[in-house]
Coordinates of all heavy atoms in Angstrom, one line a residue:
E99 N 19.2 -58.6 -65.6 CA 18.8 -57.2 -65.3 C 19.4 -56.8 -64.0 O 19.3 -57.6 -63.0 CB 17.3 -57.2 -65.3 CG 16.6 -55.9 -65.6 CD 15.1 -56.0 -65.4 OE1 14.5 -56.9 -66.1 OE2 14.6 -55.3 -64.5
R100 N 19.9 -55.6 -63.9 CA 20.4 -55.1 -62.6 C 19.7 -53.9 -62.2 O 19.1 -53.2 -63.0 CB 21.9 -54.7 -62.8 CG 22.8 -55.9 -63.1 CD 24.2 -55.5 -63.5 NE 25.0 -56.6 -64.0 CZ 25.6 -57.5 -63.2 NH1 25.4 -57.3 -61.9 NH2 26.3 -58.5 -63.7
D101 N 19.7 -53.6 -60.9 CA 19.1 -52.4 -60.4 C 20.1 -51.3 -60.3 O 21.3 -51.5 -60.6 CB 18.3 -52.6 -59.0 CG 19.3 -52.9 -57.9 OD1 20.6 -52.7 -58.1 OD2 18.9 -53.3 -56.8
E102 N 19.8 -50.1 -59.8 CA 20.7 -49.0 -59.7 C 22.0 -49.3 -58.9 O 23.0 -48.7 -59.1 CB 20.0 -47.7 -59.3 CG 19.4 -47.7 -57.9 CD 18.1 -48.6 -57.8 OE1 17.7 -49.0 -58.8 OE2 17.7 -48.8 -56.7
N103 N 21.9 -50.3 -58.0 CA 23.1 -50.6 -57.2 C 23.9 -51.7 -57.8 O 24.8 -52.2 -57.2 CB 22.7 -51.0 -55.8 CG 21.7 -50.0 -55.2 OD1 21.9 -48.8 -55.3 ND2 20.7 -50.5 -54.5
G104 N 23.4 -52.2 -59.0 CA 24.1 -53.3 -59.6 C 23.7 -54.6 -59.2 O 24.3 -55.7 -59.6
S105 N 22.7 -54.7 -58.3 CA 22.2 -56.0 -57.9 C 21.5 -56.7 -59.0 O 20.8 -56.1 -59.8 CB 21.2 -55.8 -56.7 OG 21.9 -55.2 -55.6
I106 N 21.6 -58.0 -59.1 CA 21.0 -58.8 -60.1 C 19.5 -59.1 -59.7 O 19.2 -59.9 -58.8 CB 21.7 -60.1 -60.4 CG1 23.2 -59.8 -60.8 CG2 21.0 -61.0 -61.4 CD1 24.0 -61.0 -61.0
V107 N 18.6 -58.3 -60.4 CA 17.2 -58.4 -59.9 C 16.4 -59.4 -60.8 O 15.3 -59.7 -60.5 CB 16.6 -57.0 -59.9 CG1 17.2 -56.1 -58.9 CG2 16.6 -56.4 -61.3
H108 N 17.0 -59.8 -62.0 CA 16.2 -60.6 -62.8 C 17.2 -61.4 -63.7 O 18.1 -60.9 -64.3 CB 15.3 -59.8 -63.7 CG 14.3 -60.6 -64.5 ND1 13.2 -61.1 -63.9 CD2 14.3 -61.0 -65.8 CE1 12.5 -61.8 -64.8 NE2 13.2 -61.7 -66.0
V109 N 17.0 -62.8 -63.8 CA 17.7 -63.6 -64.7 C 16.7 -64.4 -65.5 O 15.8 -65.0 -64.9 CB 18.7 -64.6 -64.0 CG1 19.4 -65.5 -65.0 CG2 19.7 -63.8 -63.2
D110 N 16.8 -64.3 -66.8 CA 15.7 -64.9 -67.6 C 16.1 -66.1 -68.4 O 16.7 -66.1 -69.4 CB 15.2 -63.8 -68.6 CG 14.0 -64.2 -69.4 OD1 13.6 -65.4 -69.2 OD2 13.6 -63.5 -70.3
V111 N 15.9 -67.3 -67.7 CA 16.3 -68.6 -68.3 C 15.1 -69.2 -69.0 O 14.2 -69.7 -68.4 CB 16.8 -69.6 -67.3 CG1 17.5 -70.8 -68.0 CG2 17.9 -68.9 -66.4
D112 N 15.0 -69.0 -70.4 CA 13.8 -69.5 -71.1 C 14.1 -70.9 -71.7 O 15.1 -71.5 -71.5 CB 13.5 -68.5 -72.2 CG 14.6 -68.4 -73.2 OD1 15.5 -69.2 -73.2 OD2 14.6 -67.4 -74.0
D113 N 13.0 -71.4 -72.5 CA 13.1 -72.7 -73.0 C 14.3 -72.9 -73.9 O 15.0 -74.0 -73.8 CB 11.9 -73.0 -73.9 CG 10.6 -73.0 -73.0 OD1 10.8 -73.0 -71.8 OD2 9.5 -72.9 -73.6
K114 N 14.7 -71.9 -74.7 CA 15.9 -72.0 -75.5 C 17.1 -72.2 -74.7 O 18.0 -73.1 -75.0 CB 16.0 -70.8 -76.4 CG 16.4 -71.0 -77.8 CD 16.1 -69.9 -78.8 CE 16.4 -68.4 -78.5 NZ 17.3 -68.1 -77.5
A115 N 17.2 -71.5 -73.6 CA 18.4 -71.6 -72.8 C 18.5 -72.9 -72.1 O 19.6 -73.5 -72.1 CB 18.3 -70.5 -71.7
V116 N 17.4 -73.5 -71.6 CA 17.5 -74.8 -71.0 C 17.8 -75.9 -72.0 O 18.6 -76.9 -71.8 CB 16.3 -75.2 -70.2 CG1 16.2 -74.4 -68.9 CG2 15.0 -75.2 -71.0
E117 N 17.4 -75.7 -73.3 CA 17.7 -76.7 -74.3 C 19.2 -76.6 -74.6 O 19.9 -77.7 -74.7 CB 17.0 -76.3 -75.6 CG 15.5 -76.3 -75.6 CD 14.9 -77.7 -75.8 OE1 15.6 -78.6 -76.1 OE2 13.6 -77.8 -75.7
R118 N 19.8 -75.4 -74.6 CA 21.3 -75.3 -74.8 C 22.0 -75.8 -73.6 O 23.1 -76.5 -73.8 CB 21.6 -73.8 -75.1 CG 21.0 -73.4 -76.4 CD 21.7 -72.4 -77.3 NE 22.5 -71.4 -76.5 CZ 21.9 -70.3 -76.1 NH1 20.7 -70.0 -76.2 NH2 22.7 -69.4 -75.5
L119 N 21.5 -75.6 -72.4 CA 22.1 -76.2 -71.2 C 22.1 -77.7 -71.3 O 23.1 -78.4 -70.9 CB 21.4 -75.7 -69.9 CG 21.7 -74.3 -69.6 CD1 20.7 -73.8 -68.5 CD2 23.1 -74.1 -69.0
D120 N 21.0 -78.3 -71.9 CA 20.9 -79.7 -72.0 C 22.0 -80.3 -72.9 O 22.4 -81.4 -72.7 CB 19.5 -80.0 -72.6 CG 19.1 -81.5 -72.4 OD1 19.5 -82.0 -71.3 OD2 18.4 -82.1 -73.2
E121 N 22.5 -79.5 -73.8 CA 23.6 -80.0 -74.7 C 24.9 -80.1 -73.9 O 25.8 -80.9 -74.2 CB 23.8 -79.1 -75.9 CG 22.7 -79.2 -76.9 CD 22.5 -77.9 -77.7 OE1 23.5 -77.1 -77.9 OE2 21.4 -77.6 -78.2
L122 N 25.0 -79.2 -72.9 CA 26.3 -79.2 -72.1 C 26.2 -80.2 -70.9 O 27.2 -80.6 -70.4 CB 26.5 -77.8 -71.5 CG 26.9 -76.7 -72.4 CD1 26.9 -75.4 -71.7 CD2 28.2 -77.0 -73.1
A123 N 25.0 -80.6 -70.5 CA 24.8 -81.4 -69.3 C 25.4 -82.8 -69.5 O 25.5 -83.4 -70.6 CB 23.4 -81.5 -68.9
N124 N 25.9 -83.4 -68.3 CA 26.4 -84.8 -68.3 C 25.1 -85.7 -68.2 O 24.6 -85.9 -67.2 CB 27.3 -84.9 -67.1 CG 27.6 -86.4 -66.8 OD1 27.1 -87.3 -67.5 ND2 28.5 -86.6 -65.9
K125 N 24.7 -86.2 -69.4 CA 23.4 -86.9 -69.5 C 23.5 -88.2 -68.6 O 22.4 -88.6 -68.1 CB 23.2 -87.3 -70.9 CG 22.8 -86.2 -71.8 CD 21.5 -85.5 -71.3 CE 21.2 -84.3 -72.2 NZ 22.1 -83.9 -73.2
E126 N 24.6 -88.8 -68.5 CA 24.7 -90.0 -67.7 C 24.3 -89.7 -66.2 O 23.5 -90.4 -65.6 CB 26.2 -90.5 -67.7 CG 26.4 -92.0 -67.8 CD 27.9 -92.3 -67.9 OE1 28.5 -92.0 -68.9 OE2 28.4 -92.7 -66.9
A127 N 24.8 -88.6 -65.7 CA 24.5 -88.1 -64.4 C 23.1 -87.8 -64.2 O 22.4 -88.2 -63.3 CB 25.4 -87.0 -64.0
V128 N 22.6 -87.0 -65.2 CA 21.1 -86.6 -65.2 C 20.2 -87.9 -65.1 O 19.4 -88.0 -64.3 CB 20.8 -85.8 -66.4 CG1 19.3 -85.5 -66.5 CG2 21.5 -84.4 -66.4
N129 N 20.5 -88.8 -66.0 CA 19.7 -90.0 -66.1 C 19.8 -90.8 -64.8 O 18.8 -91.4 -64.4 CB 20.0 -90.8 -67.3 CG 19.7 -90.0 -68.6 OD1 18.9 -89.1 -68.6 ND2 20.5 -90.3 -69.7
H130 N 21.0 -90.9 -64.3 CA 21.2 -91.7 -63.0 C 20.4 -91.1 -61.9 O 19.7 -91.8 -61.1 CB 22.7 -91.7 -62.7 CG 23.0 -92.7 -61.6 ND1 23.3 -94.0 -61.9 CD2 23.0 -92.6 -60.2 CE1 23.4 -94.7 -60.7 NE2 23.3 -93.8 -59.7
Y131 N 20.4 -89.7 -61.8 CA 19.6 -89.1 -60.7 C 18.1 -89.4 -60.9 O 17.4 -89.7 -60.0 CB 19.8 -87.6 -60.7 CG 21.0 -87.1 -59.9 CD1 22.1 -86.5 -60.5 CD2 21.0 -87.4 -58.5 CE1 23.1 -86.1 -59.7 CE2 22.1 -87.0 -57.7 CZ 23.2 -86.3 -58.3 OH 24.2 -85.9 -57.6
V132 N 17.6 -89.3 -62.2 CA 16.2 -89.6 -62.5 C 15.9 -91.0 -62.1 O 14.9 -91.3 -61.4 CB 15.9 -89.3 -63.9 CG1 14.5 -89.8 -64.3 CG2 16.0 -87.8 -64.3
E133 N 16.8 -91.9 -62.4 CA 16.6 -93.3 -62.1 C 16.5 -93.5 -60.6 O 15.6 -94.2 -60.0 CB 17.8 -94.1 -62.6 CG 17.5 -95.5 -63.2 CD 18.8 -96.0 -63.8 OE1 19.2 -95.5 -64.8 OE2 19.4 -96.9 -63.1
M134 N 17.5 -93.0 -59.8 CA 17.6 -93.1 -58.4 C 16.3 -92.6 -57.7 O 15.7 -93.3 -56.9 CB 18.8 -92.3 -57.8 CG 20.1 -92.9 -58.0 SD 21.3 -92.3 -56.8 CE 21.3 -90.6 -57.2
Y135 N 15.9 -91.4 -58.1 CA 14.8 -90.8 -57.4 C 13.4 -91.3 -57.8 O 12.5 -91.4 -57.1 CB 14.9 -89.3 -57.5 CG 16.2 -88.8 -56.8 CD1 16.8 -87.6 -57.1 CD2 16.7 -89.5 -55.8 CE1 18.0 -87.1 -56.5 CE2 17.9 -89.1 -55.1 CZ 18.5 -87.9 -55.5 OH 19.6 -87.5 -54.8
K136 N 13.4 -91.8 -59.1 CA 12.1 -92.5 -59.6 C 11.9 -93.7 -58.7 O 10.8 -94.1 -58.4 CB 12.2 -92.8 -61.0 CG 11.5 -91.9 -62.0 CD 11.4 -92.5 -63.4 CE 10.6 -91.6 -64.3 NZ 11.0 -91.8 -65.7
D137 N 13.0 -94.4 -58.4 CA 12.9 -95.7 -57.6 C 12.2 -95.4 -56.3 O 11.4 -96.2 -55.9 CB 14.3 -96.2 -57.3 CG 14.2 -97.4 -56.4 OD1 13.9 -98.5 -56.9 OD2 14.5 -97.3 -55.1
W138 N 12.4 -94.2 -55.7 CA 11.8 -93.9 -54.4 C 10.3 -93.4 -54.7 O 9.4 -93.9 -54.1 CB 12.5 -92.8 -53.7 CG 11.9 -92.4 -52.4 CD1 11.2 -91.2 -52.1 CD2 11.8 -93.2 -51.2 NE1 10.7 -91.2 -50.9 CE2 11.1 -92.4 -50.3 CE3 12.2 -94.4 -50.8 CZ2 10.8 -92.9 -49.0 CZ3 12.0 -94.9 -49.6 CH2 11.2 -94.1 -48.7
V139 N 10.1 -92.6 -55.7 CA 8.8 -92.0 -56.0 C 7.8 -93.1 -56.4 O 6.7 -93.1 -56.0 CB 8.9 -90.9 -57.0 CG1 7.6 -90.4 -57.5 CG2 9.7 -89.7 -56.4
E140 N 8.4 -94.0 -57.2 CA 7.5 -95.1 -57.7 C 7.1 -96.1 -56.6 O 6.3 -97.0 -56.8 CB 8.2 -95.8 -58.9 CG 8.1 -95.0 -60.1 CD 8.9 -95.5 -61.3 OE1 9.6 -96.5 -61.1 OE2 8.9 -94.9 -62.4
R141 N 7.6 -95.9 -55.4 CA 7.2 -96.7 -54.2 C 6.0 -96.0 -53.6 O 5.6 -96.3 -52.5 CB 8.3 -96.9 -53.2 CG 9.5 -97.7 -53.8 CD 10.7 -97.6 -52.8 NE 11.8 -98.1 -53.4 CZ 12.5 -99.2 -52.9 NH1 12.1 -99.8 -51.8 NH2 13.6 -99.6 -53.5
G142 N 5.5 -94.9 -54.2 CA 4.4 -94.1 -53.6 C 4.8 -93.2 -52.5 O 4.0 -92.9 -51.6
R143 N 6.1 -92.8 -52.5 CA 6.6 -92.0 -51.3 C 7.1 -90.7 -51.8 O 7.2 -90.5 -53.0 CB 7.7 -92.8 -50.7 CG 7.1 -94.1 -50.2 CD 7.8 -95.0 -49.3 NE 7.0 -96.2 -49.1 CZ 6.6 -96.6 -47.9 NH1 7.0 -96.0 -46.8 NH2 5.8 -97.7 -47.8
K144 N 7.3 -89.8 -50.9 CA 7.6 -88.4 -51.2 C 9.0 -88.1 -51.3 O 9.8 -88.6 -50.4 CB 6.9 -87.4 -50.3 CG 5.3 -87.5 -50.4 CD 4.7 -86.5 -49.4 CE 3.1 -86.5 -49.6 NZ 2.5 -85.8 -48.5
L145 N 9.4 -87.1 -52.2 CA 10.8 -86.7 -52.4 C 10.8 -85.2 -52.3 O 10.0 -84.5 -53.0 CB 11.3 -87.2 -53.7 CG 12.7 -87.0 -54.0 CD1 13.4 -88.4 -54.1 CD2 13.0 -86.3 -55.3

Side-chain angles (χ1 to χ4, degrees):
E99 207 185 301
R100 292 170 189 283
D101 67 9
E102 60 286 356
N103 310 321
S105 300
I106 297 175
V107 295
H108 190 76
V109 176
D110 185 1
V111 189
D112 63 13
D113 294 347
K114 221 161 43 21
V116 289
E117 300 275 357
R118 294 215 325 277
L119 287 165
D120 200 31
E121 287 154 29
L122 289 176
N124 171 352
K125 290 296 177 0
E126 221 177 287
V128 171
N129 297 335
H130 191 88
Y131 274 119
V132 171
E133 217 176 286
M134 282 202 299
Y135 296 153
K136 258 192 178 151
D137 176 76
W138 179 252
V139 171
E140 284 169 357
R141 298 168 189 240
R143 299 187 186 240
K144 291 182 179 170
L145 189 113

